[in-house]
Amino acid sequence: MRRSAVPAFVSLAAWPLLIAGCGQSAASNALSQQSSLQRLQQRSQQSLLRQQPPAAAAQAQARTGSLVLGVFDLKINTLERRLRHNDGNQGPTQVGVRVSQPASTVPEGALKLHVFAKDAPGRTGIVLAEVHVENTLDVPLEGVSLTFSGRKGGVIVPGQDFDSIYDYTVNPFNDAPTKAPLFLDRIAPRGLATVWVGIPHQFVGDVSMKLTVNGKTSSGVPQVSRALALSPDDAELWSAFADGQGLAVVDTTTENVVARLAFEGRPASVAMSPDGVFVYVALADTNKVLVIDRVKREVVQTLTEADGVGRELRNLVVSPDGNKVFVAGYVSDTLAVFERAGTDGVLKLAASLPVGRRPGGLSVSADGETVFVSHFLPRGGIRDNESWVTIVDAKALKVAKETRLRDQFNRDNTACSRIPYDNPFLRLKTGPISSEDVEMEGVFSQMAGVFLTPNGTQAWLPGVRVAGGVQVWETGPNARKDVSGLVTFQPGELALPIVLLMDTRGKTTLVPQVLNGYERPVEKTYSKCMAFEREFDFSRGDFRKTKPNELVSRLASYPTGMTGLSELGLIRHVEFTRGGRRALLLSPISDEIAVQDAATGHPTSIGHFALSGSNPHSMVVRADGAKAYVNYLNSADVSVVDLSAYNDAKNLPGPSYVPYVYKHSSDIPQIIGVTGRPKEKWLTRDITGLPQKPPLRETNRIDTGLVDTLDPEMRRGKILFHSSNPDKYPVSVSRAGACAGCHPDGHADGSAWSTMEGERRTMSLRGGVAGRGWLHISATHADAEEFVHTVVKERLGGTLDKADETALAKYIAFGIPRLQSPVVEPQAAARGKALFEASCRGCHSDAQGGSGNADANHPFGGAGANEPFTFDIGTGRDLSFVTLGPVFEKLFPEPEAKLLRSIRGDKDLGASDYTQQVLDYRPRPERKKGAFKSPSLVNVWDHAVFFHHGHVGTLSEAVKEIETRLGLEMSESEHEDMLAYLKTL
């Protein structure tokens, strides 16, 4: 296989690509022909080693505010075969780029240049150059810009400015050339800053340009909220264990616990002041922020709701200068900003800012002027939903703007999503296509945080894409074998982890980077119109039988060269190694760390590093880059992870790529593709020379001694609920199949799925399901134990024994806590309760506000022999716009088309259900189409979508629809009273 579609980055001795400042020219032709990725990466490391500057000379000139200058000559041979050769739709091949000795650098050796280039797919006469500027100093640079000038050679496209280039850093579809300086903004100590540019040529001779880099030395480090904190000198670690209601203090030299602090409340987030004097702790359930004297281990201030901290505190972060503390209230929807009043550490409320529902992870820019607030779940009904990030101006103490991440398959974007089907070939099968034919769910959800790189110029946003193309199939032993064109998802392949990459250069900026649709062989107009965010996932690939070194991505998730090479559980935390060279992606679901190249986004190994504990919660990397510390959700332990492989100051890892190409792979079964055609060209990677696992090592697992408040059986159930790694726990055969993948924190993912019962929103499990009787909106599972026994086997492919089934069922029934309720006016809630009892209690009759008809003597609070109470109020639908649109039915043969049709909208359940007949899962009870049980109202105010199909996005809209359907004549004040009462449940 050709190593195509990969920009070349090669060492001094291996390839005709030289790094500016190395003082050498082209290397031997013999070595340049070697194709081993391992040798390529090894020699890249050697080249970086030879380029390290004289440390003393450089650091002597690195005072804060000092100007830094680098001038480089870039030379591209446009006749280079590897640059120009393009075999069909396979994409561009590797190229050679020559970079000469820089004309000048101040301080000497402070800046280095790494350039990768390839022919730009779909752009005739354009070379795509990925330019990485390296800061070799141990201090950050700010205000960094890159100027291209002095172009020579080549034939310029008529009418184009002689010195023009194209800036593809954020948008690869940018058609406007520029000669203005490209703004890199900031480069971390020993970091790399990247821009992607298009350089025009006409395939003749060499093209040379001068590259000038300007900047000045600076200070400050971006901050992120965590559940553990390191002292500035790396000498002491403070780690929280929520179920232990305490903190442990670890001496990092001896790795012994030197102190334990107990609290009345569950510590959710911990931070330390930059001077190492104070520790700040957010207690989630008691709504307190503690200020602790680090040396004395004493609480010197306690802030409560009365002081403005907010409610249900999940995340806390300190500004880089230590003058501000930011606290997110998950229930109060606020960001509280406290200022440090003096040397005694006392905090004073500066502002309480409303930021919208479910504020999650917090990050602060290196200058302390911008706070990024992620929102864990999306907002809006299924047809209009979106995720978003709130950006706060910390200097002006106000919300500056929102960055919205839209679902590109919503109804307002059908003009774009219809493009792939608007061609003569497909119209023969589909006929005319309406807007509703292509609508489906594709929202980004469970956004754990906005994790800034050490540069602070890019954000990594982990979450999950709730996609209509992912059906929640369940199968039994006698399932039909002729549906492989659609049902190629394996059991448990549900919540695939997604990471979005966003540009954060400049003040209060967060811009989605756009996926390079020119590389994937689909309609270019479609890719440009859809403007998919630059993202990657971790899904299961298939090795080719004929070429076992080739890995093919078989999912329709728009895979790119950044896509992981093997499965991973959902990602909840991201850290970076020294210089920000590698990203460490922490999954509490599969208990693993994945390592991606932070400059290129590409994977660096086939598999991932397995931690010894269960459900890692948070991670922090030492300031010296030598180690990382990981704490856990389900134990009081702290793991120590050796990062020495990424921490050699003379040999920090450089940019790396995994060779990839898009092509047909006839020996790999494929599901339907982006354009609706099963026979598409699929991402294929050559993994020759890649390590199986990242070079990480767990050197110790410290027992902090904090006392676990859960009994062993409930703890086992909680572990199983949050786990998906089949190498450790038998709950799922896929790392994408944990219960917590769709029910994070026991809640819901804020969206809907294609299920065997129809299109259904994910149900919240808050408060536990004991007392709900029959489960699911169609009342198809009698209790938690029966649900676990059936779904783990048929949906997740798990093999739990009886003891584990019982433990998991008990946790689902009794172990999942409620959220605190929002603050409401008591009199309004009392009036609302009276209205509810008079108008709603007939349907919402159970203790949890549902109608599952629970049996009071049932051990799991289930229904026993009771039948549920179901009601048809006219909410049933034939099309809920969740699963693949109706156009796909016309592209599949039977029985796939009929199977797809059978899970759309609502239907009768029981012996007549076509889906069950084909897939042989456990038969559902006889249920009539459109008749549903009343759902539980526990924490109903926190739902992201309402009704069984999720078409409503707010509680107020849901109540108004019920009022209309049932003919309840309520005044506006009565409506508000009803909302106030529902918020107390």
Side-chain angles (χ1 to χ4, degrees):
M1 169 184 166
R2 291 186 183 89
R3 298 179 179 277
S4 56
V6 181
F9 172 70
V10 291
S11 71
L12 300 177
W15 297 83
L17 166 63
L18 303 183
I19 312 306
C22 54
Q24 299 187 31
S25 59
S28 69
N29 291 329
L31 286 175
S32 71
Q33 299 304 314
Q34 297 186 16
S35 61
S36 166
L37 177 65
Q38 187 175 22
R39 183 179 297 266
L40 176 64
Q41 292 175 327
Q42 181 183 42
R43 292 193 179 277
S44 297
Q45 302 305 318
Q46 293 172 355
S47 102
L48 287 172
L49 174 63
R50 287 193 287 270
Q51 293 179 72
Q52 296 304 317
Q59 303 303 327
Q61 302 179 60
R63 298 181 181 89
T64 300
S66 299
L67 296 178
V68 178
L69 171 68
V71 182
F72 307 87
D73 291 328
L74 170 68
K75 190 174 185 180
I76 301 174
N77 178 8
T78 61
L79 296 176
E80 169 62 49
R81 179 178 181 273
R82 288 174 298 155
L83 183 148
R84 293 185 54 206
H85 182 65
N86 199 336
D87 186 2
N89 283 327
Q90 290 193 13
T93 55
Q94 293 181 348
V95 303
V97 178
R98 302 174 186 273
V99 183
S100 70
Q101 177 78 7
S104 62
T105 56
V106 180
E108 182 181 356
L111 296 171
K112 301 295 179 184
L113 204 66
H114 310 269
V115 180
F116 305 74
K118 61 184 178 183
D119 223 15
R123 295 287 184 97
T124 302
I126 299 289
V127 171
L128 175 63
E130 299 189 14
V131 181
H132 305 274
V133 179
E134 180 183 4
N135 171 21
T136 69
L137 304 176
D138 286 321
V139 295
L141 302 177
E142 67 176 20
V144 182
S145 63
L146 176 63
T147 304
F148 290 75
S149 62
R151 177 180 178 139
K152 299 178 181 178
V155 178
I156 305 303
V157 177
Q160 186 162 271
D161 191 290
F162 191 70
D163 288 336
S164 66
I165 60 168
Y166 295 88
D167 182 3
Y168 298 146
T169 307
V170 172
N171 186 1
F173 299 100
N174 174 28
D175 293 323
T178 180
K179 61 179 179 180
L182 300 184
F183 185 51
L184 279 68
D185 193 3
R186 191 175 182 277
I187 314 179
R190 302 300 181 103
L192 294 166
T194 303
V195 291
W196 303 327
V197 298
I199 302 175
H201 70 88
Q202 201 169 339
F203 303 126
V204 289
D206 293 338
V207 174
S208 63
M209 302 184 78
K210 182 172 291 184
L211 279 67
T212 303
V213 184
N214 289 281
K216 61 182 180 180
T217 56
S218 183
S219 60
V221 179
Q223 301 295 312
V224 63
S225 53
R226 304 180 181 90
L228 69 178
L230 273 167
S231 61
D233 59 1
D234 290 333
E236 203 168 75
L237 176 75
W238 289 57
S239 177
F241 178 42
D243 283 344
Q245 297 190 345
L247 280 173
V249 183
V250 177
D251 182 315
T252 59
T253 301
T254 64
E255 296 185 352
N256 292 325
V257 176
V258 294
R260 299 181 187 88
L261 289 80
F263 309 117
E264 291 184 0
R266 299 169 58 83
S269 191
V270 185
M272 192 175 295
S273 61
D275 57 14
V277 176
F278 298 102
V279 176
Y280 306 100
V281 182
L283 302 180
D285 54 338
T286 54
N287 305 323
K288 295 177 181 178
V289 171
L290 308 180
V291 182
I292 301 173
D293 184 303
R294 178 190 160 204
V295 175
K296 296 180 180 179
R297 322 287 198 213
E298 294 178 355
V299 176
V300 296
Q301 186 182 15
T302 300
L303 300 165
T304 67
E305 280 190 88
D307 300 301
V309 298
R311 176 162 283 212
E312 195 78 30
L313 312 181
R314 298 288 184 88
N315 289 276
L316 174 151
V317 70
V318 180
S319 62
D321 62 7
N323 291 330
K324 289 186 175 71
V325 176
F326 306 93
V327 184
Y330 189 86
V331 167
S332 55
D333 304 335
T334 56
L335 180 72
V337 184
F338 293 91
E339 293 182 341
R340 187 168 162 180
T343 58
D344 59 359
V346 172
L347 299 179
K348 181 180 179 181
L349 182 67
S352 179
L353 306 175
V355 291
R357 291 296 295 117
R358 305 173 197 87
L362 305 176
S363 295
V364 187
S365 60
D367 61 9
E369 295 186 7
T370 306
V371 181
F372 300 97
V373 184
S374 67
H375 294 271
F376 190 66
L377 298 183
R379 61 187 176 190
I382 292 298
R383 303 184 71 185
D384 305 293
N385 51 6
E386 64 183 8
S387 294
W388 83 107
V389 175
T390 298
I391 304 172
V392 172
D393 184 333
K395 190 174 182 179
L397 295 179
K398 67 178 183 179
V399 172
K401 63 180 70 171
E402 291 180 350
T403 291
R404 300 180 180 183
L405 303 168
R406 63 194 177 93
D407 175 358
Q408 287 96 337
F409 295 98
N410 276 344
R411 57 183 164 185
D412 64 349
N413 204 47
T414 54
C416 291
S417 54
R418 289 166 59 185
I419 290 174
Y421 313 99
D422 189 18
N423 65 73
F425 170 77
L426 287 179
R427 276 201 299 268
L428 292 174
K429 294 184 177 182
T430 66
I433 300 174
S434 70
S435 296
E436 292 186 349
D437 284 337
V438 295
E439 272 193 66
M440 62 180 177
E441 178 66 321
V443 74
F444 185 67
S445 183
Q446 299 188 47
M447 192 191 307
V450 180
F451 295 92
L452 299 175
T453 64
N455 288 351
T457 57
Q458 189 182 57
W460 291 48
L461 282 64
V464 62
R465 184 75 71 182
V466 183
V470 179
Q471 290 80 43
V472 186
W473 300 114
E474 298 175 31
T475 58
N478 298 313
R480 286 172 56 170
K481 308 300 182 184
D482 56 350
V483 292
S484 59
L486 179 64
V487 194
T488 53
F489 288 93
Q490 302 303 308
E493 288 185 345
L494 300 175
L496 300 176
I498 299 285
V499 178
L500 300 183
L501 302 182
M502 304 188 74
D503 187 83
T504 56
R505 292 173 296 167
K507 302 293 184 185
T508 62
T509 298
L510 186 69
V511 180
Q513 293 181 307
V514 177
L515 200 65
N516 186 0
Y518 279 104
E519 291 196 330
R520 184 163 171 76
V522 297
E523 169 62 53
K524 305 301 186 296
T525 305
Y526 168 74
S527 298
K528 183 176 181 178
C529 188
M530 295 293 282
F532 292 107
E533 290 93 2
R534 187 173 178 233
E535 67 178 42
F536 59 91
D537 65 26
F538 290 88
S539 53
R540 182 182 302 172
D542 293 295
F543 289 98
R544 298 188 62 192
K545 295 178 181 179
T546 56
K547 294 184 179 181
N549 63 314
E550 292 187 3
L551 183 68
V552 180
S553 175
R554 59 183 167 83
L555 299 184
S557 56
Y558 219 93
T560 71
M562 300 181 296
T563 300
L565 297 169
S566 60
E567 280 189 328
L568 185 73
L570 288 186
I571 300 161
R572 291 284 188 257
H573 196 89
V574 182
E575 290 288 333
F576 297 89
T577 64
R578 186 175 183 182
R581 305 299 182 94
R582 295 291 184 261
L584 306 174
L585 310 177
L586 183 67
S587 172
I589 306 296
S590 62
D591 302 343
E592 293 174 311
I593 299 174
V595 182
Q596 300 282 115
D597 187 319
T600 68
H602 277 232
T604 62
S605 63
I606 299 170
H608 315 299
F609 175 74
L611 290 158
S612 63
S614 297
N615 313 120
H617 181 50
S618 197
M619 176 168 50
V620 65
V621 173
R622 291 170 60 103
D624 63 13
K627 296 177 181 178
Y629 301 95
V630 179
N631 65 2
Y632 293 90
L633 172 69
N634 273 309
S635 74
D637 302 331
V638 173
S639 286
V640 183
V641 180
D642 178 27
L643 300 180
S644 59
Y646 306 111
N647 197 46
D648 184 349
K650 297 182 179 180
N651 193 24
L652 292 177
S656 64
Y657 299 84
V658 178
Y660 64 96
V661 67
Y662 293 97
K663 67 178 183 179
H664 293 296
S665 297
S666 58
D667 53 347
I668 298 294
Q670 305 293 340
I671 68 167
I672 198 163
V674 174
T675 62
R677 286 171 286 193
K679 294 295 184 182
E680 287 212 29
K681 294 186 177 181
W682 295 90
L683 176 70
T684 304
R685 265 89 59 86
D686 185 347
I687 61 170
T688 304
L690 271 181
Q692 184 63 42
K693 303 287 185 180
L696 301 175
R697 188 167 58 96
E698 187 174 340
T699 59
N700 195 7
R701 186 166 152 194
I702 305 167
D703 181 356
T704 63
L706 295 170
V707 178
D708 191 350
T709 58
L710 292 186
D711 68 71
E713 185 180 39
M714 192 66 79
R715 176 61 65 196
R716 178 66 176 179
K718 188 174 182 179
I719 290 173
L720 293 172
F721 184 86
H722 289 89
S723 298
S724 66
N725 189 332
D727 297 334
K728 298 175 68 173
Y729 304 107
V731 69
S732 174
V733 295
S734 169
R735 283 165 167 77
C739 303
C742 296
H743 299 279
D745 193 35
H747 188 33
D749 54 24
S751 187
W753 294 80
S754 308
T755 78
M756 301 303 89
E757 298 168 14
E759 294 168 305
R760 297 287 188 267
R761 71 172 171 94
T762 307
M763 304 296 289
S764 172
L765 307 179
R766 287 227 174 102
V769 301
R772 297 189 189 184
W774 285 89
L775 305 177
H776 277 194
I777 194 69
S778 293
T780 50
H781 295 279
D783 56 67
E785 187 176 41
E786 182 265 314
F787 176 84
V788 167
H789 177 76
T790 301
V791 172
V792 166
K793 179 181 179 181
E794 296 184 352
R795 183 180 296 181
L796 303 181
T799 56
L800 294 182
D801 60 23
K802 180 62 175 177
D804 276 348
E805 283 187 357
T806 300
L808 178 55
K810 282 189 175 180
Y811 178 73
I812 293 173
F814 303 105
I816 299 173
R818 301 183 182 210
L819 276 182
Q820 299 177 69
S821 296
V823 175
V824 297
E825 203 271 312
Q827 288 77 17
R831 293 191 299 269
K833 181 178 181 180
L835 287 169
F836 182 88
E837 295 294 335
S839 304
C840 307
R841 182 59 74 184
C843 294
H844 293 274
S845 54
D846 291 349
Q848 290 202 26
S851 66
N853 198 8
D855 182 341
N857 298 317
H858 194 284
F860 291 96
N866 299 336
E867 281 297 302
F869 302 122
T870 60
F871 308 92
D872 186 347
I873 62 171
T875 58
R877 293 190 173 192
D878 293 326
L879 183 63
S880 296
F881 306 102
V882 174
T883 195
L884 290 170
V887 66
F888 286 87
E889 295 173 19
K890 303 170 184 178
L891 300 173
F892 279 116
E894 298 292 353
E896 285 102 323
K898 189 173 180 181
L899 187 65
L900 183 60
R901 193 177 309 122
S902 73
I903 62 171
R904 184 176 289 113
D906 299 310
K907 59 182 177 179
D908 290 337
L909 301 178
S912 62
D913 183 8
Y914 177 79
T915 320
Q916 193 277 325
Q917 295 172 359
V918 171
L919 298 181
D920 188 45
Y921 52 80
R922 184 192 69 86
R924 301 299 197 253
E926 297 288 333
R927 300 287 184 253
K928 288 297 183 181
K929 176 181 177 179
F932 308 110
K933 78 160 193 171
S934 303
S936 165
L937 297 180
V938 171
N939 289 161
V940 63
W941 51 269
D942 191 46
H943 293 352
V945 291
F946 296 81
F947 296 104
H948 70 280
H949 36 52
H951 75 281
V952 169
T954 68
L955 179 62
S956 179
E957 290 176 286
V959 171
K960 282 186 179 295
E961 181 165 333
I962 292 290
E963 292 171 3
T964 300
R965 288 186 178 276
L966 299 184
L968 302 176
E969 297 182 1
M970 291 191 182
S971 66
E972 190 60 34
S973 62
E974 288 176 324
H975 174 79
E976 293 300 319
D977 289 343
M978 180 72 79
L979 294 181
Y981 171 65
L982 292 175
K983 290 178 181 179
T984 68
L985 300 178

